[in-house]
Amino acid sequence: MTPPEDSARADTWIWCVRLVKTRSQATDACRAGHVRLNGERIKPAHLVHAGDEIRLRLAGRERIVVITKVLRNRVGAPVAAECFVDHSPPVLRDPTPAVAVRDRGAGRPTKRDRRVMERLRDQPCPPAPP
């Protein structure tokens, strides 16, 4: 039995719009309870429709998207971006810059160590949080 044209499996849609790299990652996220459709936990085969809200937790970040177009096949990134509206909170970055630290008594830095320290020193400082 094939699903209607205006719906698709949840794991397939998540993979098609490139929220995850592989379909198995999308399936595993659904099984682990990291995917919610309109506030309810769903299984991978649950059908999604246009207008549904999907919340996906991956790698310590929550993605909140509203489906505008249902896809069943993976498409290019520009087309995939048009198939949902992203309401995710912005990613917070750590404002502390990286600092080169060497152990006491480690001796003179090698050429590679020196280049790493110079690269860290030349990085622009991030703006202070408001």
Side-chain angles (χ1 to χ4, degrees), residues 110-121:
T110 63
K111 191 174 193 176
R112 181 177 181 213
D113 292 338
R114 194 182 74 249
R115 287 182 177 162
V116 169
M117 287 187 287
E118 287 173 359
R119 217 175 295 129
L120 287 174
R121 188 177 24 220

Side-chain angles (χ1 to χ4, degrees), residues 28-42:
D28 293 342
C30 290
R31 286 188 181 140
H34 299 302
V35 178
R36 293 184 176 269
L37 179 72
N38 299 325
E40 300 290 323
R41 288 176 56 177
I42 59 171

Side-chain angles (χ1 to χ4, degrees), residues 19-117:
L19 294 177
V20 294
K21 284 188 177 184
T22 65
R23 181 162 172 209
S24 62
Q25 284 180 340
T27 303
D28 293 342
C30 290
R31 286 188 181 140
H34 299 302
V35 178
R36 293 184 176 269
L37 179 72
N38 299 325
E40 300 290 323
R41 288 176 56 177
I42 59 171
K43 292 183 178 181
H46 193 91
L47 296 179
V48 296
H49 306 280
D52 288 342
E53 179 190 70
I54 290 186
R55 290 176 176 260
L56 172 70
R57 274 187 304 131
L58 277 179
R61 180 174 181 218
E62 184 173 28
R63 300 286 308 264
I64 303 168
V65 297
V66 176
I67 301 172
T68 57
K69 184 178 177 186
V70 177
L71 297 176
R72 289 193 188 163
N73 296 322
R74 193 164 169 102
V75 293
V79 177
E82 297 171 356
C83 296
F84 62 89
V85 178
D86 196 356
H87 295 294
S88 304
V91 178
L92 299 177
R93 297 185 182 244
D94 187 18
T96 56
V99 178
V101 177
R102 290 186 46 82
D103 294 332
R104 186 176 178 98
R108 185 175 173 183
T110 63
K111 191 174 193 176
R112 181 177 181 213
D113 292 338
R114 194 182 74 249
R115 287 182 177 162
V116 169
M117 287 187 287

